[in-house]
């Protein structure tokens, strides 16, 4: 969970040109961010992975005809015996996005390799009667599959982090609105940012509005102007001190 949360956070805040270590997240926050991957498709896939190995034993208890059960068992054996095809397909996909143009769902390539390696260790993967996998070969295959599965998680978490950042950047108006009051002028400008001079008799003379809060840590506020553009605009870091006052307001909420 810590590793997954770190990969997701790094991709998310990297979109806004921030480093997760500089922001200062603690390990618990990192681990909790991994729950972002607990989406409905992921949970459904994990459920199917848990059910498929025992499906031939489960079907008779559900009243499925024996002919259908035998057909499912034959199909399962055919899939297991094609484990090298899964490995080859995964390797070809990795070569394609390694030397070509990357695409979304890159995690599918190492996933195919991991599935192929695990299927190759099943009893249904061999046609030789009484054949048993050597413990050393099984251990190597399982370790390799585990490494590929970790790669799958990293790719999926990174992709999801970038997607979340892109979505949030397009909906900045819904985030917490921030007004920065300062005794001196600040070097801040950007699309949607409004600067007001409240007069020399005012302690906090300059008022900056049109900002949205990305994250706050240890009295440091990471802010984005409302019209923030990923390719050109800056992410502002404002520290709350005696010369700065930060006011927080609700962002614009979608209509109900």
């Amino acid at each position: 969970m810590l590793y997954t949360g770190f990969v997701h956070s790094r991709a998310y805040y990297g979109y806004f040109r921030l480093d997760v270590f500089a922001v200062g997240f603690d390990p618990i926050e990192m681990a909790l961010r991994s729950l972002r991957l607990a989406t409905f498709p992921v949970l459904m896939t994990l459920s199917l992975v848990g059910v498929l190995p025992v499906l031939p034993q489960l079907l008779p208890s559900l009243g499925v005809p024996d002919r259908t059960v035998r057909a499912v068992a034959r199909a399962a054996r055919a899939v297991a015996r094609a484990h090298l095809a899964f490995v080859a397909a995964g390797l070809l996909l990795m070569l394609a996005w390694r030397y070509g143009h990357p695409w979304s769902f890159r995690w599918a390539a190492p996933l195919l390799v991991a599935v192929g390696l695990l299927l190759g260790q099943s009893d249904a993967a061999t046609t030789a009667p009484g054949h048993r996998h050597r413990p050393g070969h099984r251990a190597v295959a399982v370790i390799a599959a585990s490494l590929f599965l970790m790669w799958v998680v990293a790719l999926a978490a990174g992709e999801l982090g970038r997607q979340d950042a892109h979505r949030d950047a397009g909906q900045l108006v819904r985030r917490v609105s921030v007004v920065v009051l300062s005794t001196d002028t600040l070097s801040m400008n950007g699309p949607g940012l409004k600067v007001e001079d409240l007069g020399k008799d005012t302690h906090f003379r300059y008022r900056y509005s049109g900002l949205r809060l990305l994250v706050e840590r240890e009295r440091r506020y990471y802010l984005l102007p409302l019209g923030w553009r990923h390719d050109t605009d800056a992410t502002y870091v404002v520290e709350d001190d005696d010369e700065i006052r930060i006011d927080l307001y609700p962002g614009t909420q979608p209509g109900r």
Side-chain angles (χ1 to χ4, degrees):
M1 291 178 66
L2 181 62
Y3 174 69
T4 305
F6 166 73
V7 173
H8 181 275
S9 299
R10 184 180 63 176
Y12 182 90
Y13 290 102
Y15 185 86
F16 300 104
R17 291 179 282 279
L18 295 175
D19 183 82
V20 290
F21 293 112
V23 175
F25 292 107
D26 60 47
I28 295 178
E29 289 177 301
M30 290 286 191
L32 290 176
R33 287 187 72 88
S34 69
L35 297 177
R36 177 66 184 87
L37 269 72
T39 59
F40 180 75
V42 172
L43 295 177
M44 286 296 296
T45 301
L46 292 177
S47 301
L48 289 174
V49 168
V51 169
L52 285 177
V54 297
L55 190 60
Q57 293 79 25
L58 181 63
L59 292 178
S61 64
L62 299 177
V64 177
D66 292 340
R67 183 174 60 182
T68 303
V69 173
R70 289 193 295 270
V72 170
R74 287 194 299 270
R77 287 193 295 270
V79 170
R81 290 168 184 170
H83 61 278
L84 292 179
F86 284 88
V87 175
L91 293 176
L92 289 175
L93 284 177
M94 280 190 279
L95 289 174
W97 61 254
R98 175 63 179 84
Y99 295 103
H101 184 71
W103 61 82
S104 298
F105 307 107
R106 291 188 299 170
W107 48 264
L111 180 61
L112 284 173
V113 176
V115 169
L117 291 173
L118 294 176
L119 285 175
Q121 301 309 305
S122 64
D123 294 335
T126 179
T127 56
H131 174 79
R132 299 181 63 87
H133 295 282
R134 295 181 180 179
H137 292 172
R138 182 185 293 270
V140 171
V142 171
I143 291 173
S146 300
L147 293 175
F148 277 103
L149 288 175
M150 287 186 64
W151 192 10
V152 170
V153 170
L155 291 174
E159 183 176 322
L160 185 59
R162 287 185 290 271
Q163 290 176 356
D164 289 345
H166 180 74
R167 182 200 62 225
D168 291 348
Q171 301 176 351
L172 284 179
V173 70
R174 299 184 181 183
R175 300 185 73 87
V176 173
S177 176
V178 179
V179 173
V180 179
L181 298 167
S182 174
T183 58
D184 298 313
T185 57
L186 303 176
S187 181
M188 293 171 56
N189 57 73
L193 181 61
K194 182 179 179 182
V195 184
E196 300 173 84
D197 187 344
L198 303 181
K200 62 180 180 179
D201 296 329
T202 306
H203 178 66
F204 294 107
R205 179 174 177 175
Y206 301 97
R207 184 177 189 270
Y208 297 82
S209 58
L211 296 164
R212 289 298 186 267
L213 178 65
L214 179 61
V215 66
E216 182 270 329
R217 280 295 178 278
E218 299 178 355
R219 298 174 64 88
R220 291 195 308 271
Y221 293 79
Y222 299 85
L223 308 176
L224 301 171
L226 267 177
W228 187 84
R229 294 162 297 189
H230 171 70
D231 295 332
T232 57
D233 295 329
T235 299
Y236 301 116
V237 184
V238 179
E239 188 167 356
D240 189 5
D241 56 24
D242 294 338
E243 298 180 352
I244 297 287
R245 193 182 85 191
I246 305 292
D247 292 344
L248 305 178
Y249 298 91
T252 302
Q253 300 300 313
R256 296 182 178 178

